[in-house]
Amino acid sequence: MISPLTYANWHTPATDYPRRQVGSYRIADHRYTKGYYNMSGLLDNALFQAVKPLTITNLQEKVHGRWQQWMVDDPPHWEAMKFYASRAKGRVLTTGLGLGLVIHALDENEAVESITVIERSQEVIDLVGDLVPLSEIIKADFYDYMEATADEYDTCI
């Protein structure tokens, strides 16, 4: 049996984001209590263990008066973004800005020439856009953009 990844503390680029709200979206904290969590087989691990409570960054949208989670920077999500970004090259297109985790990871990859992000929510762009490394952020629906553009990309995430 493979031992789970263990975390006694947690930090990603999103950890340092200001906790703020723009319209119906906000960046907030979420706590993982001590225990085991699903790693979805990422990095050959079924689980990860929080050996102490971990503070996770959360992108939320207020829908019908309740905050709903859109994205978190927990171990499976951050490790997945780093994995995808490490294999990217050239002109990269990514769909959805979210917390911008993949942009931070792509920015570390010397094989990446440019990053274009398609995000349909202006509120998410206003909330997160100035917190990520330089990239082109286009406000559009991904499928509409792909149908209309003649641009070509080497990698799509």
Side-chain angles (χ1 to χ4, degrees), residues 28-91:
D29 286 337
H30 178 75
R31 292 283 278 182
Y32 279 29
T33 60
K34 183 178 171 182
Y36 291 89
Y37 295 88
N38 188 347
M39 194 67 176
S40 301
L42 188 64
L43 305 176
D44 294 325
N45 287 274
L47 301 171
F48 74 90
Q49 180 185 15
V51 296
K52 295 188 328 189
L54 304 177
T55 301
I56 305 298
T57 306
N58 195 338
L59 174 64
Q60 301 174 334
E61 180 185 17
K62 196 168 202 175
V63 179
H64 306 297
R66 298 184 64 165
W67 288 106
Q68 296 183 359
Q69 179 177 285
W70 266 103
M71 184 179 190
V72 295
D73 71 341
D74 66 0
H77 290 89
W78 177 232
E79 297 296 347
M81 293 303 103
K82 290 191 306 183
F83 175 82
Y84 297 139
S86 72
R87 284 148 178 79
K89 63 181 178 181
R91 298 184 70 223

Side-chain angles (χ1 to χ4, degrees), residues 8-23:
N9 52 52
W10 186 246
H11 189 272
T12 72
T15 303
D16 300 326
Y17 289 178
R19 295 336 189 219
R20 62 187 185 186
Q21 181 176 337
V22 173

Side-chain angles (χ1 to χ4, degrees), residues 116-151:
T116 301
V117 181
I118 307 301
E119 171 56 57
R120 63 182 171 190
S121 170
Q122 186 62 51
E123 291 176 349
V124 172
I125 294 169
D126 294 343
L127 181 64
V128 179
D130 66 336
L131 302 172
V132 298
L134 184 61
S135 54
E136 180 181 21
I137 301 174
I138 298 172
K139 182 186 179 302
D141 177 84
F142 172 74
Y143 296 105
D144 294 341
Y145 174 81
M146 291 305 294
E147 190 171 302
T149 190
D151 292 344

